[in-house]
Every structure is written in structure tokens, then in C-alpha cells.
Amino acid sequence: MKKMAKFLALVMALVMIISVFAGCSETAKDKDNSDNKGGNTATDTEWEYQADTSPFEFDVWWPSVWSWGKGGVESGWDDSPVFEYITEKTGGKMNIEIPLGDENDLAGTMIAAGTYPDVCVFGSYTSPYINQMKDAELIYSWSELIDKNAPKMWELIPDSMMATHADADGVLWYYPGFAYHETWAEEAEALGAHPAGGAHGTNVIFCRQDILEAFGEEDIKDIDTFTDYLYFCKENYPDVDPLKLFEGNPRNTGEAIFTHLQATFGCHLSGTYPQEDGSIKYYMYDPAYVDYLAWLNTLYNDGVISANQLTDDQSAIDTKTYSAGYGAMNGATYTVYNTIETTLKESFGEDTDKLYIAVGPIEGENGWKTYKLRNSGGQTSVITKNCDNTDRVIKFFEFLFTEEGQMTINAGVEGVHWEWNDDGTVKHDEEKAALANSDLEGFTTTYKLCGNWSAWCNTSYWEGLLGACLTPPGRDLEESEKRLQPYTIDLWEIGFCDITLCIPGGSDLDVIKTKVEDACKVAAMKMIAAANADEFDSIYKECLKEIEGLGVAQVEEAYTAEYHKCCEAIGIEPGAEL
């Protein structure tokens, strides 16, 4: 199998160090392991998983499967060339349980009852249940299982992950998938993707084409014109909500409007309120955030935002999104120009003008910025003491983390779903790429790729392989490069490496942080719906008083300490690069 040249990666994590991203400098022409089949012995294998490929099964509890990956997981293991290939290579078969209900509602009962299976996948490495299981000695450390059963696997665990996630004694208790590192964009491009400045098509503002044309503009690039557009939409298109908002929290990330407008109004992209003296204040103290809420309050009182919108659940939001029910929205080029546009054409006809086109960025007094898609990881796996075949399970994951494994779970089987181009990029099966481009859920269900493996995916391969399908050369990429690339910064390079995640899940301080966040969320929603400026100010003052009583200063101290630690690691002065 042809090997992609690996890159040296400068990685900054919660403890930021210079490290080498796991891999080797050999190419596929130098080394080929594709002939290693079942039945090999330890003496003629490269990886420990190859020594025993006899059949075995293990159970995985995974309530946090992404919605568009759920169908692929639920449709079973036996009807997919990808799953068959992985079983051939490892002997392993995962039996995945996706329980009904929220992780937080289910995990505590499951742990108390001792009914947890071989592997549990939590939605984040910050889940308090990970520490709960660790403290109760209900899980194995990954370090122990790797040392005992697959020591070569350490080559596949990047130093950056150990720096970010291992305990102070160097023990790694869990594996967080989907972690970003310094050179992921370059590595993804080497495979054939086109990440625009590390931003990959996300955080673009879109307006409905027919309404924008009626408004008399081809583009919108400032907050005043954008506000005028929303009022125009309200006055002339009464069946449309002028602006797609959020579900229950004005600061929701992803495709919620704050993700884009935080920079417009001048909020810091770290999600905190940094001070020139190097201290970190909680975001609720930031006048820029209050200005953003005041803007929404004006829209609300003028009827541009309806009361119903403040209570819309995700189902209502999705219905409006896929029926052209918004005048403007924040989104990703690969979602809006593919899945949403395909759905709208199916509903309104191929020649409909009820489509969305990119505008912006929406600049404020100090312009606009966005940040690279880089964080410390997402869905996180633990191996429990109920697992009877830990040696086989850890070796199964060893395969997934090899280059061959990552190519398989992100692109499919070589020769079936993809081939190598002469320049080292990947040529995808056209039918597979087209389906990924138009229907991600159908893609994962049909091919059992990406979303089925998100807890164990390396970002470079994910972006390099799925990203090549989602953002091919053309308007998707052109809009991303135009609307994002010139404005993209790397927060990690100025010391803000996920500092808000430094508080251990389930700790006393985490309880305080949760209460503070809930108080701010409730207050913000009330401020948006305030009847006048006096009521708005009163709600805000009461919120600050409440969070101070809850202990917000302790949260700020933790953020400040983490920020200083990160600045020290990269050799900059706290407060100097705001």
C-alpha cells in the first residue's frame, strides 16, 4: 500500500510542546504491508495486530454517535466491504450499542449498575464519567494495555496527545478522536483536499438568493448593511424568519449565528474576555458580548426575531433550514451548496431561486477574523474492566490508527473505493464522492465511512479524504478561500489552546463553571427578549451579581493559570498577543 509522506508537526496543547506527529518518513514505494494476511506470526509481522487474526467480537457503548453517522452504525457490520476488510485484517468485529437517550442521563445509571460493555465512547474527553470510572478503577489505562500487548502502537500515539491528555505521571487513560495539530491542513492537502487556510469552508454567512437580489445587493460585508437586509426580509417576506439563530443558547458554536458575529462585534475568539495584564475574565463581562445581545434585543423588539424563534428546538430549525425558511444563516460551504441546495431543488425545482449564496464576512468596527479548526479532540474511548479480551481490543485499535487503518475508515478499501494518483493524492470512486457531496447520512450508511469511526479518526486523514469530497475545486473552495482564508488566525499560536477546557469534568470547579454558564445562558435569553433598555440593563447586572456569588472568580483563575502556562510554553508574554 502506498504510504503518504508524513510531516513533522509542531503541536500546542494544554501543555504546549514541540513534538513529532506520529508517523514515518517512508513512502509507499519504500514499504508495503498489503500482503500481510491472517495467520501471520509475530516474527514476520510489522504490527502486533497481525500476529492473530482469528475471529473475535467486542461490545461498544456509544450514545454520542453523530446524527449523520448513526444510520451507518445502526445498519450493521456484515454488509460492508470496509467492515469485512477490517475483520480480515484484525479478526475483530465491533457490536455497537446506540442507546436511546442522552449520554448524561444514561451513563451514571450504567456505571452504578456495572452494566458497561467492553468499550465506552463518551462525547468528549471532558466527560465527568471518565474520571468517575477511572477513580473507581473500572477502566484500564491505554498506556497499560499498549505496553503489555502492542508496544509498537506507541508510534501511532502522537506526543501531542500525551502532552494534552496524559496524567502528570505520563499515563494515558483514554483516546480522544478527531484532535487537530499544527500541520493537519498541509497533510490533508497532500492527500488531495483543499482546506482553505485551515478553516475548511465553515463559518460563512449565506443569504437567500432571491431576497438578496430583491434587496439590490450582490454581497454584504458590514453589520449595518446586514441589519438592513434583515429588516428588508422581515418587511417583504413575512413567511420567512430573517435570521437563523440558535437552539437555546446565544453563544452556541457550530453553525449558530454567534460563531460568525462574535468577531463582528469584537468578542475574543477564545470564548473568554482576555485583559491586557494577562488575566482572563469570563465572557459575560465583555462589553462586546453585551453589544451583540443588545443588537439581538433590538431585532427582537422590532419583530425581526420572533418569540417563537427563541424556543425553536433543533427539529424546527432543521425544518426551516431545508425549506428555505431563513433569510440568512451561518453555515459551511459544503453543507449549503450540497445537502441543503440539493434538498431545496428537489422541493422547489432545479431552476428555483430559493437557494443560498455566500456573502461577507460581516465586518464590524475592527474588521473580522475566524480561526483554524483546531482543538484537543472530541469523542473519547475508554476500555473497561468488563472487557475479557483486552489484548485483542487494543490491537484492533492499533490497526485503526495505522495509515492503512485510517485510509480504510476514512476513504474505504483501496482498489474498491479509491486509488492512488501518481502525485500521491487520492482518486475517489466517483459514485462514492458524489454521495458524500450530496448526502452525508446516505454516504455513511452506504459505505460505512467517517461518521462511523469519528471517535478514532485522525484529523489529517478525515480532512484529506472526506474533505476532498466535500470541498472539491469549484465554488465551494472558491468561496471558502475568498470568505475565510484571508481572515484566518491560529489561536493556539497566541496562547489560547482550548483554555476553557482546562477544568476537569466532574470536579467541584466544573460544577461551579456549569452553574455560571447556565446563569449566563438564561440571562442572555432574557436580555434578548427584554422590553426596553432599562430591563435589559437590570437583567445584566443581576446576572453578574449571580455569577459572582456562584464563584466565577475561581473559574477565571483557572483560565488565567492555563493561559499563562500556554504562553510560557511558546515563549510569549501573556496579554501581548490579544
Side-chain angles (χ1 to χ4, degrees):
M1 174 180 177
K2 184 173 181 180
K3 293 245 177 184
M4 179 191 73
K6 304 277 182 152
F7 295 80
L8 291 178
L10 172 63
V11 183
M12 291 174 296
L14 297 179
V15 180
M16 308 197 54
I17 62 172
I18 296 177
S19 64
V20 178
F21 186 70
C24 63
S25 61
E26 295 170 294
T27 66
K29 294 178 180 178
D30 300 321
K31 182 176 278 187
D32 189 331
N33 297 308
S34 61
D35 293 332
N36 287 323
K37 303 294 184 181
N40 288 340
T41 65
T43 58
D44 61 0
T45 60
E46 179 185 8
W47 300 101
E48 287 92 353
Y49 75 81
Q50 296 169 315
D52 182 2
T53 58
S54 61
F56 77 100
E57 299 184 18
F58 64 103
D59 299 328
V60 178
W61 181 82
W62 191 3
S64 57
V65 174
W66 289 344
S67 59
W68 56 270
K70 187 176 180 181
V73 174
E74 290 183 327
S75 61
W77 186 276
D78 298 324
D79 62 344
S80 165
V82 168
F83 290 172
E84 291 175 0
Y85 186 82
I86 291 172
T87 298
E88 175 190 344
K89 289 292 181 177
T90 65
K93 175 182 177 182
M94 289 198 302
N95 301 312
I96 298 176
E97 175 192 2
I98 308 176
L100 295 175
D102 182 77
E103 175 182 303
N104 292 325
D105 297 330
L106 300 169
T109 301
M110 179 188 69
I111 293 170
T115 56
Y116 42 85
D118 304 304
V119 174
C120 295
V121 181
F122 295 99
S124 169
Y125 65 86
T126 63
S127 170
Y129 299 106
I130 295 176
N131 279 334
Q132 182 178 331
M133 297 187 80
K134 172 189 169 186
D135 293 342
E137 299 183 351
L138 303 179
I139 60 176
Y140 294 99
S141 74
W142 280 65
S143 293
E144 173 188 355
L145 297 181
I146 293 173
D147 285 342
K148 182 178 179 180
N149 302 290
K152 190 172 175 61
M153 185 176 175
W154 282 119
E155 298 177 17
L156 307 172
I157 307 294
D159 290 343
S160 60
M161 184 172 294
M162 299 301 293
T164 307
H165 297 286
D167 284 357
D169 59 4
V171 176
L172 183 68
W173 286 90
Y174 55 78
Y175 185 90
F178 221 64
Y180 289 79
H181 58 279
E182 180 68 16
T183 59
W184 71 267
E186 290 88 344
E187 294 176 10
E189 286 189 81
L191 284 165
H194 304 275
H200 195 107
T202 60
N203 201 17
V204 175
I205 292 292
F206 293 86
C207 290
R208 218 176 80 174
Q209 179 178 330
D210 56 334
I211 302 176
L212 186 64
E213 290 177 355
F215 181 62
E217 298 286 348
E218 294 183 354
D219 201 351
I220 298 176
K221 295 187 70 68
D222 65 87
I223 188 62
D224 291 336
T225 305
F226 186 62
T227 303
D228 290 343
Y229 169 82
L230 298 179
Y231 277 86
F232 176 85
C233 184
K234 184 254 180 182
E235 293 168 2
N236 295 278
Y237 297 83
D239 296 332
V240 172
D241 286 336
L243 182 62
K244 181 178 179 180
L245 295 175
F246 33 71
E247 183 189 1
N249 186 350
R251 295 182 73 256
N252 277 354
T253 55
E255 296 183 359
I257 194 66
F258 179 73
T259 304
H260 187 98
L261 294 186
Q262 60 180 321
T264 305
F265 282 90
C267 301
H268 198 268
L269 297 179
S270 67
T272 68
Y273 181 34
Q275 305 296 295
E276 290 184 2
D277 65 0
S279 64
I280 303 295
K281 294 288 290 180
Y282 206 73
Y283 72 83
M284 202 66 184
Y285 291 97
D286 187 355
Y289 181 62
V290 178
D291 288 344
Y292 160 72
L293 294 178
W295 178 75
L296 292 174
N297 175 244
T298 300
L299 297 182
Y300 178 84
N301 285 326
D302 290 344
V304 177
I305 296 173
S306 68
N308 289 337
Q309 276 190 270
L310 299 184
T311 58
D312 277 349
D313 60 16
Q314 192 60 50
S315 176
I317 293 172
D318 289 343
T319 298
K320 293 177 185 178
T321 300
Y322 289 96
S323 61
Y326 293 111
M329 67 173 71
N330 183 26
T333 54
Y334 52 80
T335 300
V336 176
Y337 286 153
N338 296 292
T339 306
I340 294 177
E341 185 166 306
T342 298
T343 303
L344 294 178
K345 287 183 177 180
E346 289 174 351
S347 298
F348 300 111
E350 284 290 327
D351 59 347
T352 182
D353 58 0
K354 293 183 178 180
L355 303 176
Y356 290 91
I357 58 175
V359 299
I362 308 301
E363 298 187 19
E365 292 182 359
N366 297 311
W368 186 81
K369 290 291 183 183
T370 190
Y371 51 87
K372 287 186 178 181
L373 283 173
R374 203 143 65 84
N375 56 45
S376 302
Q379 297 176 92
T380 300
S381 304
V382 298
I383 301 174
T384 80
K385 292 290 181 71
N386 281 349
C387 182
D388 293 328
N389 53 353
T390 54
D391 59 327
R392 300 298 303 280
V393 170
I394 197 68
K395 292 173 184 176
F396 180 91
F397 288 124
E398 178 186 59
F399 170 75
L400 294 190
F401 299 157
T402 63
E403 182 174 28
E404 183 179 7
Q406 288 294 310
M407 293 298 296
T408 303
I409 64 179
N410 285 293
V413 179
E414 183 178 4
V416 177
H417 302 116
W418 62 274
E419 297 176 352
W420 289 106
N421 291 315
D422 291 340
D423 62 358
T425 59
V426 173
K427 178 182 179 181
H428 296 270
D429 174 79
E430 292 183 3
E431 184 176 342
K432 183 196 77 169
L435 187 58
N437 203 262
S438 62
D439 182 1
L440 273 176
E441 184 173 352
F443 168 74
T444 57
T445 301
T446 301
Y447 293 100
K448 315 296 173 67
L449 297 173
C450 299
N452 306 72
W453 304 97
S454 53
W456 307 287
C457 282
N458 171 306
T459 305
S460 297
Y461 290 96
W462 174 286
E463 298 289 354
L465 300 167
L466 180 60
C469 299
L470 295 180
T471 313
R475 68 171 174 163
D476 293 15
L477 180 61
E478 290 169 1
E479 293 288 12
S480 297
E481 292 180 335
K482 176 181 178 181
R483 315 277 175 186
L484 298 173
Q485 190 165 1
Y487 308 94
T488 302
I489 62 173
D490 190 347
L491 288 175
W492 289 34
E493 291 182 347
I494 56 175
F496 292 95
C497 51
D498 284 347
I499 62 171
T500 60
L501 300 180
C502 69
I503 297 174
S507 64
D508 291 342
L509 188 54
D510 185 51
V511 173
I512 294 174
K513 176 187 174 184
T514 300
K515 290 180 179 179
V516 168
E517 176 59 30
D518 288 345
C520 292
K521 179 174 66 175
V522 170
M525 295 296 282
K526 289 180 178 179
M527 290 166 71
I528 293 170
N532 51 56
D534 288 341
E535 182 179 338
F536 182 96
D537 292 339
S538 177
I539 295 169
Y540 179 59
K541 291 176 182 177
E542 285 298 315
C543 175
L544 297 185
K545 182 178 179 180
E546 180 180 1
I547 65 175
E548 286 163 5
L550 291 170
V552 68
Q554 297 178 56
V555 178
E556 293 174 333
E557 288 174 6
Y559 289 174
T560 300
E562 189 65 27
Y563 171 55
H564 281 235
K565 185 188 301 182
C566 294
C567 289
E568 181 180 358
I570 59 175
I572 64 173
E573 189 71 22
E577 295 282 353
L578 297 180

